[in-house]
Amino acid sequence: MAWSSPPAQGPLADALAQLAATVEHLGYDDGMHQMLATARREMQVSVPLRRDDGSVHVYSGYRVQHNFSRGPAKGGLRFAANVDLDEIRALAMWMTWKCALVDVPYGGAKGGVAIEPRDHSVGELERVTRRYTSEIAPIIGPEVDIPAPDIGTDEQTMAWMMDTYSALVGHTVQGVVTGKPVGLGGSRGRATATSRGVAHIALLALAAHGFEPEGTTAAVQGFGKVGHDAARFLAAAGVIVRAVSDVDGAVYARDGLDIARLSAHAERTGSVAGFPGAEPLDPADLLTLDVDVLVPAAIEGVLTADNAERVQARFVVEGANGPTTKDADAILLQRDVVVVPDILANAGGVIVSYFEWVQAHQAYQWSEREVNDRLEERLTTAWHDVVEYAGAHALTYRQAATALAVRRVTEAHRQRGLYP
Ligand code: GLU
């Protein structure tokens, strides 16, 4: 293989193993495998920050553009202390498959800065965002690569990115990022799109396996951009959400958490921990609770060979990107746990990012109803595509979703041809 030695463990190892199995299933040659396994472009930048106390610290930043075959690259920007290039490479590859699976006209990308946002003031985060944006400005743009929020970033981060990019090119460019505030050309429904999609796909999966939402039990890991509203939407559909966690703790209520009251508590105190309407829980135990549906909606690599044997859920619906390692995936398969993969379950975010980009091009804002209807329609189509392909080829949902996506990317690549 042409790429330098891939890691043995971690998200990139998992992503490459999924791809290798898919390439084998589809019967592609080594050249195509290399095209699909390697990023078209990677940029590594230093991001110097003048801190509020006057000192200077330099952070590492990355933008990886995995693929452009179906359109501009697309994917989030992550601020987290442990971000590294291999993680961003994996996340960029997953974005390519996600966009292809839900048939939005994008390739895949991801960015990151190795910074812990909780340790910084708003002013420092603004300066880091603006400097990072100016460093990667030569390789982003509405027709090139369109960042969006991810872990540790939000609509304010996107507003700063749009403003910095616009200042550099001399005019306002709304389509350079998605996940912006609605007043700045953001889309109605974008903030809740990922979680709406997670809940929608979870309910489709339950129905396909003969489960009614009422009385079904769930646990949600993560109470941020994805987990919070996923818990809310699931509860609204009648699912008993027994446990949720965040970085500071976890809470459990056998008869179901009152998500509205829990949200108010988390809003007030900064964490779900200490919620008076529930018992405290060790966050690690959330993954192995006696529930029907487990929604890992925090970070990658949480379901591993060490805990997958103890997962009691019948369904794992991946709100996060890459929460299940390849070893855990094999164990869950052998134990008949239905895993609904990230590139399907959490694709609602990038679908509505696509709608936001379309609205920016049209300079016209859609109603929330229109956004949500179109979101659910696209996810439902992707769900049926995956179920049908999995059935026809005796594959898991992850294998089927990856195969459909890789096939679409490869078809586009073949139709365009190799330049020169
Ligand atoms: N960060 C989100 C994801 O992982 C959204 C990406 C986007 O909207 O471009 O899917």
Side-chain angles (χ1 to χ4, degrees):
M1 290 292 179
W3 60 90
S4 57
S5 52
Q9 272 188 350
L12 185 58
D14 293 342
L16 288 171
Q18 289 159 8
L19 175 64
T22 305
V23 163
E24 196 183 325
H25 161 74
L26 294 169
Y28 295 163
D29 64 19
D30 193 48
M32 186 58 75
H33 189 180
Q34 288 183 42
M35 283 294 295
L36 296 164
T38 48
R40 298 285 71 76
R41 184 155 60 180
E42 300 182 343
M43 193 171 193
Q44 182 163 352
V45 296
S46 293
V47 188
L49 165 70
R50 187 180 304 284
R51 299 206 61 171
D52 294 341
D53 65 5
S55 65
V56 171
H57 191 90
V58 181
Y59 295 93
S60 295
Y62 310 91
R63 187 74 189 170
V64 173
Q65 296 166 341
H66 173 257
N67 195 277
F68 297 98
S69 291
R70 290 170 40 86
K74 183 88 189 80
L77 167 65
R78 175 171 294 199
F79 284 178
N82 58 355
V83 156
D84 65 26
L85 182 56
D86 277 349
E87 178 191 31
I88 300 300
R89 284 172 167 155
L91 291 161
M93 185 184 296
W94 284 326
M95 283 309 303
T96 301
W97 311 149
K98 192 186 301 186
C99 292
L101 180 66
V102 295
D103 204 15
V104 292
Y106 293 137
K110 203 78 170 198
V113 178
I115 186 171
E116 172 50 61
R118 299 215 293 181
D119 295 344
H120 293 274
S121 68
V122 173
E124 290 180 350
L125 291 174
E126 174 173 357
R127 293 197 289 282
V128 161
T129 303
R130 289 188 183 276
R131 182 60 184 255
Y132 169 79
T133 306
S134 76
E135 295 294 338
I136 66 161
I139 62 160
I140 62 170
E143 314 300 339
V144 188
D145 177 7
I146 306 120
D150 196 82
I151 291 171
T153 58
D154 57 17
E155 61 176 33
Q156 177 61 75
T157 321
M158 295 304 114
W160 291 327
M161 288 190 87
M162 186 196 81
D163 184 69
T164 306
Y165 184 85
S166 299
L168 290 171
V169 299
H171 58 98
T172 296
V173 185
Q174 287 192 333
V176 66
V177 288
T178 59
K180 299 178 292 295
V182 173
L184 280 183
S187 178
R188 296 191 175 97
R190 174 63 184 88
T192 52
T194 310
S195 9
R196 185 178 292 280
V198 168
H200 183 69
I201 289 287
L203 297 175
L204 286 172
L206 285 170
H209 292 264
F211 283 70
E212 296 284 339
E214 288 78 18
T216 293
T217 55
V220 180
Q221 182 192 42
F223 207 59
K225 277 192 283 294
V226 182
H228 176 265
D229 287 309
R232 183 166 67 83
F233 288 129
L234 286 172
V239 173
I240 298 167
V241 180
R242 279 193 171 153
V244 302
S245 65
D246 62 23
V247 281
D248 296 314
V251 287
Y252 174 86
R254 198 186 150 71
D255 296 333
L257 294 159
D258 180 335
I259 304 297
R261 281 185 52 223
L262 179 59
S263 301
H265 170 84
E267 180 85 14
R268 205 170 52 246
T269 66
S271 172
V272 298
F275 177 50
E279 299 162 37
L281 177 75
D282 182 336
D285 292 341
L286 181 138
L287 297 169
T288 55
L289 276 183
D290 181 13
V291 288
D292 300 308
V293 185
L294 175 63
V295 183
I299 52 168
E300 57 266 17
V302 296
L303 290 170
T304 65
D306 292 334
N307 58 17
E309 289 286 1
R310 288 179 285 119
V311 167
Q312 299 188 63
R314 298 279 316 273
F315 299 86
V316 172
V317 180
E318 296 184 334
N321 292 310
T324 311
T325 67
K326 61 177 188 300
D327 296 340
D329 218 20
I331 294 167
L332 295 174
L333 171 62
Q334 190 210 327
R335 298 189 51 229
D336 283 333
V337 178
V338 176
V339 179
V340 186
D342 44 9
I343 60 171
L344 176 60
N346 73 29
V350 78
I351 291 173
V352 178
S353 276
Y354 166 55
F355 296 162
E356 180 172 329
W357 181 79
V358 168
Q359 291 170 79
H361 279 73
Q362 294 174 326
Y364 183 81
Q365 241 178 6
W366 303 354
S367 70
E368 185 156 357
R369 161 75 65 90
E370 192 168 0
V371 169
N372 291 343
D373 286 352
R374 288 180 190 236
L375 164 63
E376 292 188 0
E377 188 186 313
R378 261 175 200 269
L379 280 175
T380 305
T381 303
W383 164 258
H384 288 302
D385 288 350
V386 169
V387 170
E388 194 184 313
Y389 196 92
H393 298 271
L395 296 174
T396 65
Y397 291 154
R398 188 190 315 282
Q399 290 162 342
T402 312
L404 280 167
V406 169
R407 198 173 67 178
R408 282 186 190 153
V409 174
T410 305
E411 270 166 16
H413 172 68
R414 285 189 174 138
Q415 283 161 350
R416 290 176 67 152
L418 186 60
Y419 173 83

